[in-house]
Amino acid sequence: MLNDKKKKTTRWMAVFSVCGILLLAVALGSLMVRCRSLELRLNDMFLESLTAHTGEAGEGAGYLLHYAETVLKNADLLIEEASNVPEKDWVEPMVNTFNLVDDRMELGYLDRADLVGEIWGSEGLELVDKVLAGEPVVSGLIPAPEHKESYVIAARPVMWNGQVAGVLQARMQADTLLQQGTHSTFFHSVNSVIAGEDGLVVYGSDPRSAGMNLVQLGEENGITAREGQAFSDAYQSRENGSFYYDPAGGRCYVAWGQVGYNGWRVVQFSQSPNVQIARDSMIQTGLVLISLMMCAAMAVLVWRQRVRLATEKLRYDTLSEFRDTLIFDYDCRTDSLEFTSNALETLDLNDVRLERVTEEDSVFPVFHQDDLGNVRRALRGAASMIPDQVEHDRIRLRKRDGGYSWYRSQYKGMFSSEGKLTRVIGTLTDINAQIDREQELRHQAQQDPLTDVYNRAGVKLINARLEQISRGIMFMLDLDDFKSINDTYGHAAGDQVLISMGQILKDTFRTDDIVARVGGDEFVAFLSGSDNELMARQKAQELLDRVRELKLEGIDTRISVSIGISTAPAHGRTYEKLCASADEAMYEIKNGGKGGYAMR
């Protein structure tokens, strides 16, 4: 009997031990999954923040070069209006007045006598030949005796009686190109360089980096040969992108964004704060706890892991306090959207949590009324995203002072093991100053003087928008029988029709949408952030109705327009592909009776 009791007791002890081990394993596994999830979210936040700031730096450098070309063009127009021989004694003082407006560049004027020797360095002879042939140019990097004086020039020939009388030039320091963006506050230091498409450094804040390969810069931080090859492949395959690798000193991040000139890209290297979970320590703790096989040991394990998780959450909350970036988390199950606590300091919010976000009858003053529908569509449409897919958008949020600011939104979906969307997390970065600068540059350089919409320079703006935001709707419009209006009523009447068409497009589309005149009577409009077919049809019908209602004095002919529509990314991710698809749809209407719209 005693032996039977001992055996029974032994069996129960074995059962309890096995149950204890299973409970320990489940608890440990659950905590490891949660810690890993938090680590991935932090890693994504770092990478997305550096990528956004690097893209802004590349865009800023490109905008500065484009702005230099615009200033030279405006100066050339002033010289033409003077109707005098462009001699240096009066042109140079006039050009110098431009230098009082913007200290990022130095404008000057060179007459033909100055265009001798190595005025732009030993490699500048080809540039001189081009401008003497009447061609505007933007140079590559021109080295100077001292590294910090290396510069880039934009040059524009000044013509007189069909000959080149002189050259307008804008000189920009290479350091200035690297200072057009802001660094992410998540990183203590960022090493910025300008590199070519082949990965060779053109210019960097460290003189030793010039001429080096980007992989060689990574070797200074411990990048391996395998990681270096992966980095090189990623850089060669994408004009804008990011990469990270894990040397012994901590994870390193690299992001690059195109400038738009000379194949240049701004590249930024940085190393993350220490937020990685100590996996070795976790495994050792698990082995100790499993070896103890006691409930007390399980309690200790749970307590220790909770402390560790709380520490990681504290780091996460600390990161959220940076003022230039807000973080949001949308819970699909509860239909609630939660901001980090620093949002209360900047946004018009009484609580960081918003309920019933996607319900149409809910009102949220923090969102601009024109953008709330886009926010709801983005949250509902996130279920169609794939893991690790990052989407971009731009929205307006109400600030504490009552005004609205533009924010760049980057977000991604979090999926359960069954592949069901559970959350949407992302960041919001204030880009209001960037939007203001873009609008100023666009107004100065890209307005069609007749219709006050963009000219063909709008094509570049659409391509730039498609690189930031992958979804959009392209409308191509052509006035029906416009030639007969010109022939019957005269070109002045035709101009009135075009002016009215430009106004209709500006009234129909949002301020942030891009409207351009790309031909005599051809217009395009690009609505970013949505590829919703119903919205596209509603916009097209609104345009048709407004044009039919158009009545102009002295014109008895009914005015109509044919519209073709394509969407991104379904029909392409560039202006050229979307335009070709929309053009085919438009000519279906042209050939079928005109005055309607069609979608591809």
Side-chain angles (χ1 to χ4, degrees), residues 189-255:
S189 63
V190 176
N191 180 24
S192 300
V193 300
I194 298 175
E197 296 174 340
D198 55 1
L200 292 180
V201 176
V202 176
Y203 179 81
S205 52
D206 186 343
R208 296 172 300 175
S209 62
M212 293 178 63
N213 189 282
L214 291 172
V215 176
Q216 290 177 292
L217 291 181
E219 289 174 354
E220 296 179 0
N221 293 328
I223 193 172
T224 65
R226 182 176 180 181
E227 290 171 333
Q229 184 61 51
F231 170 38
S232 179
D233 292 342
Y235 183 85
Q236 297 287 344
S237 63
R238 300 194 300 271
E239 292 180 338
N240 299 276
S242 57
F243 186 82
Y244 66 85
Y245 54 96
D246 291 295
R251 178 163 290 175
C252 290
Y253 297 84
V254 190

Side-chain angles (χ1 to χ4, degrees), residues 47-95:
L47 193 61
E48 290 166 10
S49 178
L50 183 64
T51 302
H53 284 80
T54 306
E56 178 186 345
E59 290 176 5
Y63 282 130
L64 180 58
L65 293 170
H66 180 72
Y67 177 59
E69 292 183 302
T70 301
V71 171
L72 294 181
K73 182 179 179 181
N74 292 337
D76 191 20
L77 291 174
L78 291 176
I79 294 172
E80 288 183 8
E81 292 175 359
S83 301
N84 294 325
V85 177
E87 296 179 343
K88 196 170 184 178
D89 59 346
W90 70 269
V91 174
E92 191 169 48
M94 182 201 72
V95 170

Side-chain angles (χ1 to χ4, degrees), residues 117 222 331 359 452:
D331 191 330
E359 295 184 18
D452 200 37

